[in-house]
Amino acid sequence: EIIPLPNRVANMQADPSSIMLGREVKAEIEEYVRTIASLYRDSNPFHNFSHASHVVQSTVKLLSRIVVGEDAINYRNMTYKKANGDTLHKTTYGIASDPLTQFSCILAALIHDVDHSGVPNAQLIKEQTAIASLYKNQSVAEQNSIDLSWDLMMGPQFEKFRSCIYKTREELDRFRQLLINAVLATDIVDKELGAFRKNRWNKAFSEKEQRRRRRAIGPMISSNSFSSIMSLDDLTMTDQQIEQVKQEKRMEEKNRMATIVIEHLIQASDVCHTMQHWNIYVKWNERLFDELYGAFLNGRAENDPSTRWYEGEIGFFDHYIIPLAHKLKECGVFGVSSDEYLKYAQANRKEWTIRGREAVARYMSKYNAKNSSMAKRLPASLISLDEKKEDMQSLSPKIPVRMLSKRVVQDDFDDMMSDTEAEHADDLLDGHGKAHDGDYDYDYDHDHNGDRIDLRRRGIPMEISASGDRSYDELVRLNDVDSECADFIVKHITIGGSTEFDDDDSVGTIDA
């Protein structure tokens, strides 16, 4: 419920803007971000690394707009006065004066949808997926994102990076608490979490005006009246002890407010497209539609989202987006940005009521045209057929292989594919979907505005005998695997990763 922040302004030994990170630290940060980017699924139209980048930018923007109130503005030249550290600390509940808190918010934005599967938590639970079981059906995707990102950061290759984030066990614990709370805040569907946050908001901010009015009349709690809220055993407390308890109470209230502000900052950033210009909103809205509609067509959603998308967006604005924008304003720490977010949310809601049905029809038309064009252009041998599923399911590979996606430019596509596949390369020019070719299943995704193809093989059947006379080296060479399949796996699919195998007698990893 409450994450404790420093109770005083951070003791900075240097101006943060003057600090230069060393080359090795920069290299580790860049490698971490690159790896995180690779853990996002490019096949998702919405929940991909572009979305993560968008959320990061919004988080940075909101953090940069934290102000200290009306008295901090010099209206003569319309600039912010240089804030007093203590004032800034108090009026922003400690967020503005703590670099670790700010960094945690930005990192949470970066990792919040790592490895997102393109379907909601409810679907993962319904399908009884491994991660749903692992996380006991609670905030499944969010917990998975946290674990993958945290485990990565804790690796020895990022030791110098970590040394710039925290120095003590206390700072490590606070860093982890901040990160987990912020990422879990993006799960807005869980009813239990929602009720918990609502109760906490009411405790912190709905009573804020009442406390302010009481302070205007007199001290909220005086030493004379303090005994009225204490137990009989505490009536012997000295004035100094009473003052200490009051201070602890004020710190608890401040930390509760800071925790709530951080969560709402991340929530607003996660849906920031709804509070930006109409064109940005519609662009991301279409991507989300494509993702959910594609899940429906692939049997991973019960209801066709196109039938209620128009009405659903109005409800989303009325019951989540606009109330969230109001809360940003009520927090009182984001200055003019809160007005800007609310203004755009209301404008987009109004515009959607006028143009929303037309937009949904356009989404459908573009989606169907793109996929219809792909189906017509693909040879019959590449079109996935339902009757093939039984054949695929009947094959039990002795070696489980995890396929890693490999993005390639069109010029290299023919070289990457085998001779029998190269003739189909020109057919994969745009669109996305699933295809089948002989023994292999494909996922493919191509950006028609660029020249990149994202092609993944999945479920490759392999007939490898598990006799004990096969050495590790022979298994590495995949002697019993079709040569085209082996060439594709070793040279292309597993670049930057590894292929795991486990048979009756041997366990190992093939690194490419």
Side-chain angles (χ1 to χ4, degrees):
E1 180 175 2
I2 300 173
I3 297 177
L5 270 61
N7 60 6
R8 61 183 184 278
V9 179
N11 183 22
M12 297 184 184
Q13 299 176 359
D15 182 353
S17 62
S18 68
I19 296 174
M20 300 295 291
L21 294 176
R23 183 179 301 174
E24 291 180 334
V25 175
K26 281 186 177 181
E28 288 188 8
I29 294 173
E30 290 170 359
E31 180 59 27
Y32 183 80
V33 174
R34 272 195 297 268
T35 308
I36 287 294
S38 72
L39 294 175
Y40 278 86
R41 304 190 187 190
D42 292 338
S43 56
N44 292 339
F46 183 89
H47 290 101
N48 51 41
F49 190 65
S50 293
H51 166 65
S53 301
H54 194 200
V55 176
V56 168
Q57 291 175 33
S58 176
T59 301
V60 172
K61 174 183 176 180
L62 281 173
L63 284 171
S64 70
R65 298 290 179 86
I66 289 180
V67 296
V68 295
E70 290 295 312
D71 59 346
I73 302 175
N74 186 335
Y75 287 98
R76 196 168 201 173
N77 54 12
M78 292 310 293
T79 59
Y80 286 113
K81 301 174 184 176
K82 188 171 180 60
N84 173 276
D86 288 330
T87 301
L88 187 65
H89 178 80
K90 292 176 182 177
T91 56
T92 63
Y93 316 121
I95 297 173
S97 58
D98 182 37
L100 180 57
T101 297
Q102 296 169 44
F103 174 77
S104 301
C105 290
I106 296 169
L107 184 63
L110 179 74
I111 70 170
H112 79 284
D113 276 332
V114 157
D115 195 39
H116 197 290
S117 60
V119 295
N121 283 333
Q123 185 63 28
L124 297 175
I125 296 169
K126 180 183 176 183
E127 294 174 355
Q128 298 182 331
T129 59
I131 60 172
S133 175
L134 176 64
Y135 299 116
K136 298 180 173 56
N137 298 338
Q138 293 182 316
S139 302
V140 177
E142 293 77 14
Q143 292 201 69
N144 181 53
S145 298
I146 293 168
D147 275 355
L148 289 174
S149 306
W150 185 265
D151 288 348
L152 176 67
M153 175 169 281
M154 292 299 110
Q157 69 272 37
F158 299 115
E159 182 178 359
K160 291 183 174 61
F161 180 20
R162 294 196 302 272
S163 70
C164 294
I165 303 172
Y166 57 85
K167 296 292 186 185
T168 65
R169 178 71 197 202
E170 180 185 1
E171 289 179 342
L172 171 61
D173 290 343
R174 184 157 57 89
F175 172 48
R176 181 169 170 81
Q177 285 181 323
L178 287 163
L179 202 64
I180 291 174
N181 255 40
V183 174
L184 290 183
T186 63
D187 181 3
I188 62 174
V189 177
D190 188 289
K191 292 182 179 179
E192 184 178 349
L193 277 177
F196 175 78
R197 293 186 190 117
K198 182 178 180 180
N199 178 65
R200 185 173 54 184
W201 170 273
N202 291 334
K203 188 184 296 185
F205 286 101
S206 292
E207 301 171 2
K208 188 177 179 181
E209 283 299 322
Q210 298 177 24
R211 291 197 298 271
R212 185 179 289 116
R213 283 195 293 270
R214 285 198 296 267
R215 282 198 296 270
I217 298 173
M220 183 170 67
I221 303 176
S222 66
S223 58
N224 294 329
S225 62
F226 191 73
S227 59
S228 63
I229 62 171
M230 303 295 291
S231 68
L232 291 175
D233 294 334
D234 295 322
L235 292 178
T236 58
M237 290 177 65
T238 65
D239 285 351
Q240 184 178 2
Q241 291 173 321
I242 290 174
E243 185 58 36
Q244 182 178 352
V245 172
K246 289 168 63 178
Q247 178 65 23
E248 291 173 355
K249 183 69 174 176
R250 283 193 289 267
M251 280 299 303
E252 179 182 299
E253 291 176 352
K254 178 188 76 70
N255 288 331
R256 180 182 290 110
M257 290 178 178
T259 305
I260 294 170
V261 168
I262 291 167
E263 289 180 349
H264 283 76
L265 182 154
I266 292 294
Q267 288 176 341
S269 297
D270 193 24
V271 293
C272 62
H273 64 283
T274 64
M275 306 181 205
Q276 294 174 336
H277 191 276
W278 167 260
N279 290 340
I280 298 175
Y281 161 61
V282 171
K283 179 182 78 172
W284 285 100
N285 186 253
E286 180 178 2
R287 293 181 180 183
L288 182 58
F289 175 88
D290 282 359
E291 185 168 296
L292 296 180
Y293 188 61
F296 168 71
L297 295 180
N298 289 325
R300 303 196 70 190
E302 289 186 5
N303 301 316
D304 181 352
S306 66
T307 60
R308 296 284 299 171
W309 195 264
Y310 171 78
E311 295 81 2
E313 281 298 290
I314 294 176
F316 191 47
F317 273 112
D318 289 345
H319 300 296
Y320 183 71
I321 298 300
I322 292 176
L324 178 59
H326 275 296
K327 286 183 176 180
L328 289 180
K329 186 175 179 65
E330 291 169 21
C331 287
V333 300
F334 295 112
V336 296
S337 281
S338 56
D339 292 321
E340 174 188 322
Y341 275 45
L342 178 59
K343 172 186 170 184
Y344 273 119
Q346 292 171 333
N348 285 334
R349 197 268 188 204
K350 182 178 179 180
E351 194 73 11
W352 181 260
T353 61
I354 300 170
R355 301 168 60 183
R357 295 188 188 278
E358 173 193 338
V360 176
R362 186 172 66 253
Y363 299 167
M364 285 292 296
S365 177
K366 289 172 64 177
Y367 188 96
N368 291 332
K370 182 167 55 177
N371 287 276
S372 174
S373 173
M374 176 60 64
K376 290 177 181 178
R377 296 168 63 183
L378 285 175
S381 63
L382 272 177
I383 298 177
S384 180
L385 301 175
D386 289 339
E387 53 263 30
K388 293 286 187 180
K389 291 181 180 178
E390 293 183 4
D391 296 335
M392 292 296 294
Q393 291 172 351
S394 67
L395 295 170
S396 300
K398 301 258 173 49
I399 296 181
V401 178
R402 181 186 180 192
M403 295 296 111
L404 302 178
S405 66
K406 169 66 177 168
R407 302 204 78 177
V408 294
V409 296
Q410 178 68 37
D411 293 342
D412 296 333
F413 191 69
D414 288 357
D415 295 335
M416 170 179 158
M417 306 294 284
S418 67
D419 292 337
T420 58
E421 297 159 338
E423 64 183 277
H424 305 310
D426 291 336
D427 293 314
L428 297 174
L429 288 176
D430 58 56
H432 57 85
K434 300 182 184 299
H436 189 83
D437 180 14
D439 291 332
Y440 310 139
D441 271 358
Y442 294 95
D443 289 330
Y444 56 85
D445 190 6
H446 182 255
D447 181 1
H448 64 277
N449 291 321
D451 62 353
R452 290 190 172 275
I453 290 176
D454 183 9
L455 177 73
R456 296 161 304 286
R457 277 190 178 177
R458 52 190 177 79
I460 295 181
M462 288 185 242
E463 296 293 340
I464 296 183
S465 62
S467 60
D469 60 352
R470 298 206 179 276
S471 68
Y472 176 79
D473 289 339
E474 287 175 321
L475 285 172
V476 168
R477 288 195 295 270
L478 299 174
N479 287 339
D480 287 331
V481 179
D482 176 82
S483 60
E484 292 177 4
C485 174
D487 179 69
F488 194 97
I489 294 171
V490 175
K491 289 187 178 178
H492 304 293
I493 293 292
T494 58
I495 290 176
S498 63
T499 298
E500 299 174 358
F501 69 88
D502 182 359
D503 65 15
D504 293 345
D505 302 292
S506 303
V507 176
T509 300
I510 302 170
D511 289 319

